Amino acid sequence: MHEDSRRGSRGNTTWPPVTLLVLAICGITVVADGYDVVVYGAVIPSLLHEPGWGLTPAGAGLIGSFALVGMLIGATTVGTLTDTLGRRKMLIGCLIWFSVMTGLCATATSPEVFGLFRFLAGLGLGGVLPTASALVGEYSHPRTRNLVFATLFSGFPVGGIIAALTGIFVLPRFGWQVMFLLGLLPLLLVLPLAIRFLPESITFLRAKGRHAEADRIADRWNITSDDTQQGVPAPEQSPSGGRDSDSMSPVRALFSRSYVGATACFLVMTCLCLFMIYGFNTWLPEIMRRAGYSAGSSLGFLLVFNIGAVVGTIVISLAADRFGSKPIITTTYLVSSVAVILLSLRLPTTVLYAAVALGGVGAMGTQSFVLAYVSKHYPVRMGATAMGWTLGFGRLGSMLAPPLLGLIIGAGLAFQWNFYALAVPGVIGALLVGLVPHTPEAAVAPGHEGVGGTARPLAGQT
């Protein structure tokens, strides 16, 4: 590794070209992912008044969970397959799949058909984040990984911003169908770039014995063999000297004695965080409309939520790389709960917008920092599997949020109850952070501890 990159690991220089390339392609894919998820929240008021559909708030919440069921299946399945078939191939496949299925939503003539297409789109959407996370995590330095992950996951709220802005302009003029037709754009804008430029994981290629391909990528980006080996966790020996977790399949290793405690914490933390994110993104416009705001103002709250998530997450990530994951995640969880409580009060509009922005920082920021923590906690060979299972289980929270809040709205309860339901997960999540155990000492290569005490490879540093 060159001296410039050594200084860069301490934050004094820019990221290497390969890090920027992988982050750009994966980030744009996550933007498309965010648009496809958030667009449903933007069109719910229109769907509730679609002639002939007879859709109720409870029914809309149920349809909202269909895509999330698909995302649960997609995250666990694709995340596991990624460590077997390759990260580049799976990311491109997921991009094609969810774009086509989102476009087909525009052709739906009934809530049932619409829900089916949303479920099918969710299969591809669920695979994007674990696959993109695994690639970006490998091609980034441990000391700047919180910032890299924050930049990657800011693509999700950027997609939400685009969905909200598009909805403000498109819905009154062209109807909700056009919102889903726009979901086909990634096939034109992202797919060609991914096919042409996105590199495969060098670690994956070497593990599969495809050394010639790995060497070509390493030569192209001036990556040395030392770069791909630094910080790779050493095998963990069991007390009895028996089979170690390094020889297990990634799924078995994830739930082995060395990692099961952390895995359980990460699964529940992500579940709680995604409950808040999808509760906001699915129902915030309708909740604020029922609180007395116009349709345009209600979409404005959704816009501010996602803007706050982008700006706040990137700013806070700088502190996360310096102070570590645990204190930052605890803080962002609590910030989200406080922000939600403020939204339940009758406050001036300006204060409410500020609270919505803080909610975006808390909910979205927490998710990106939790996944960065996951990336640093596990060995690289099981990274995509860990991401897939963490996000897959987390989809249980995202599945519960739309129907639960839909039932609260449909029951005629005061709009404040929706915010109370969103505040509790933040408090529980903050308590869970402290229960995450340290990485097993045997897994840490001396001199390569990342933030939070975990070693990771330095592939991609030139």
Side-chain angles (χ1 to χ4, degrees):
M1 180 185 297
H2 298 312
E3 185 64 25
D4 285 346
S5 276
R6 293 188 187 277
R7 292 195 301 269
S9 70
R10 294 189 292 269
N12 295 331
T13 61
T14 58
W15 294 329
V18 69
T19 300
L20 295 174
L21 173 67
V22 173
L23 180 59
I25 295 175
C26 291
I28 297 172
T29 305
V30 172
V31 170
D33 183 10
Y35 176 90
D36 281 17
V37 171
V38 176
V39 68
Y40 182 65
V43 303
I44 278 183
S46 299
L47 295 180
L48 291 174
H49 296 92
E50 178 67 14
W53 281 30
L55 196 61
T56 64
L62 184 61
I63 290 177
S65 69
F66 288 168
L68 304 175
V69 172
M71 292 175 78
L72 184 154
I73 298 172
T76 54
T77 303
V78 174
T80 302
L81 288 176
T82 293
D83 283 328
T84 303
L85 301 179
R87 297 169 184 184
R88 179 181 185 275
K89 182 185 299 182
M90 296 306 297
L91 185 67
I92 291 173
C94 289
L95 174 64
I96 295 172
W97 181 266
F98 79 71
S99 297
V100 171
M101 293 303 159
T102 296
L104 287 175
C105 287
T107 68
T109 56
S110 68
E112 293 78 14
V113 175
F114 182 86
L116 174 62
F117 286 137
R118 288 294 290 171
F119 167 77
L120 293 175
L123 295 175
L125 292 168
V128 168
L129 281 178
T131 308
S133 301
L135 267 175
V136 168
E138 179 175 348
Y139 283 103
S140 62
H141 194 284
R143 296 299 179 89
T144 58
R145 191 158 293 138
N146 274 302
L147 179 57
V148 171
F149 267 82
T151 304
L152 174 69
F153 289 109
S154 68
F156 189 94
V158 167
I161 292 170
I162 294 173
L165 288 173
T166 303
I168 292 173
F169 176 78
V170 168
L171 287 173
R173 296 169 176 82
F174 305 107
W176 61 268
Q177 290 88 346
V178 174
M179 297 287 289
F180 291 96
L181 288 176
L182 293 174
L184 293 169
L185 287 178
L187 295 178
L188 300 175
L189 302 179
V190 189
L191 183 60
L193 295 175
I195 292 175
R196 176 68 179 85
F197 297 109
L198 186 65
E200 181 55 275
S201 160
I202 293 179
T203 303
F204 167 80
L205 292 174
R206 296 203 186 283
K208 296 298 181 181
R210 295 158 60 180
H211 298 291
E213 294 178 60
D215 290 340
R216 283 196 296 271
I217 296 174
D219 291 342
R220 179 178 183 182
W221 297 106
N222 195 25
I223 300 170
T224 68
S225 60
D226 288 342
D227 291 334
T228 59
Q229 294 302 317
Q230 290 187 68
V232 176
E236 296 167 27
Q237 299 293 334
S238 64
S240 61
R243 184 178 185 181
D244 58 35
S245 64
D246 191 57
S247 62
M248 299 179 185
S249 69
V251 175
R252 288 189 62 191
L254 197 63
F255 295 96
S256 67
R257 183 173 62 181
S258 298
Y259 292 105
V260 65
T263 298
C265 289
F266 288 137
L267 295 184
V268 178
M269 286 161 58
T270 304
C271 182
L272 295 170
C273 191
L274 289 179
F275 182 94
M276 293 187 292
I277 290 173
Y278 283 84
F280 269 111
N281 277 318
T282 302
W283 283 112
L284 184 59
E286 182 64 17
I287 293 172
M288 300 312 290
R289 190 186 69 80
R290 289 174 180 262
Y293 295 89
S294 65
S297 296
S298 298
L299 284 172
F301 281 105
L302 185 62
L303 176 64
V304 170
F305 174 80
N306 285 284
I307 290 175
V310 173
V311 177
T313 298
I314 292 177
V315 171
I316 294 175
S317 69
L318 299 174
D321 278 323
R322 179 174 181 180
F323 298 110
S325 298
K326 282 191 174 184
I328 296 299
I329 295 172
T330 301
T331 300
T332 52
Y333 261 128
L334 294 177
V335 165
S336 65
S337 293
V338 171
V340 170
I341 294 299
L342 290 176
L343 290 176
S344 68
L345 305 176
R346 295 286 184 179
L347 299 172
T349 303
T350 303
V351 178
L352 289 180
Y353 274 116
V356 168
L358 285 176
V361 174
M364 293 283 195
T366 299
Q367 183 59 49
S368 68
F369 300 138
V370 167
L371 293 177
Y373 198 1
V374 170
S375 170
K376 293 178 293 184
H377 193 85
Y378 298 96
V380 68
R381 73 176 190 88
M382 53 192 288
T385 299
M387 286 289 183
W389 278 82
T390 300
L391 284 166
F393 189 87
R395 296 302 175 191
L396 293 175
S398 61
M399 287 162 51
L400 288 173
L404 178 60
L405 297 183
L407 287 174
I408 293 175
I409 293 173
L413 298 176
F415 75 93
Q416 288 91 342
W417 283 98
N418 294 278
F419 294 123
Y420 301 153
L422 290 170
V424 173
V427 176
I428 298 175
L431 296 175
L432 278 175
V433 177
L435 299 180
V436 178
H438 293 294
T439 304
E441 291 183 5
V444 182
H448 296 291
E449 295 83 355
V451 178
T454 303
R456 296 288 291 167
L458 309 184
Q461 305 306 306
T462 56

